[in-house]
Amino acid sequence: ITARVQNDWPSDPAMQRHLIDRQASAYAQLVRACEAMVKNEYSAQIIDFACTSWPDDYEMALHTLKRQLASSKAFFEYTRPAVPADVLQQFKEKTFEEWPGDYEMKLHVLETELDAWLKTNRVQLDAR
């Protein structure tokens, strides 16, 4: 942390101190969050995604971890009453394969795909 901050802000010790404090705090929070997670393939994938996406920025890694956890929960609990259950499951499986490790994108693509599916099927139903 220190070496990167000193390199980025070589003539600003106040900014260096500020960023070191923020990064050190985020690192500690990230470690605690990772330690609190149940150890399994799911958690390992989310931790790996967050940490490899931002290897030198602990604030962003922590932010990404939190977003991935929230998005994964939303993805797995996602329902859409207007969409038949089997169709929803097919889209979830397709999306899951297309975006390994990135639950935020899985959720976004799932919602986008289902919006398009609903529009297409409404047009077909209206044409009858």
Side-chain angles (χ1 to χ4, degrees), residues 16-36:
Q16 289 175 14
R17 180 79 266 146
H18 172 71
L19 292 175
I20 290 168
D21 290 346
R22 288 178 57 148
Q23 287 292 313
S25 175
Y27 176 79
Q29 291 176 56
L30 181 63
V31 168
R32 283 193 300 276
C34 292
E35 288 174 345

Side-chain angles (χ1 to χ4, degrees), residues 9 13 16 28-29 33 47 51 71 81 83-84 93 105 122 127-128:
W9 299 90
Q16 289 175 14
Q29 291 176 56
I47 292 167
C51 293
S71 295
V83 177
E93 289 172 6
M105 280 304 297
R122 284 188 186 134
R128 292 183 190 167

Side-chain angles (χ1 to χ4, degrees), residues 40-103:
N40 57 32
E41 186 177 330
Y42 162 77
S43 63
Q45 184 182 49
I46 288 180
I47 292 167
D48 182 62
F49 181 83
C51 293
T52 57
S53 295
W54 301 97
D56 296 327
D57 189 333
Y58 298 112
E59 284 183 290
M60 285 305 299
L62 178 62
H63 172 76
T64 300
L65 180 74
K66 290 176 180 179
R67 297 280 305 177
Q68 288 296 308
L69 288 170
S71 295
S72 69
K73 182 178 184 329
F75 179 85
F76 289 120
E77 294 176 354
Y78 191 87
T79 60
R80 193 84 171 250
V83 177
D86 62 322
V87 173
L88 175 61
Q89 187 60 34
Q90 289 172 6
F91 276 105
K92 279 187 172 185
E93 289 172 6
K94 179 179 180 260
T95 304
F96 204 86
E97 292 171 9
E98 290 176 348
W99 293 96
D102 189 343
Y103 286 93

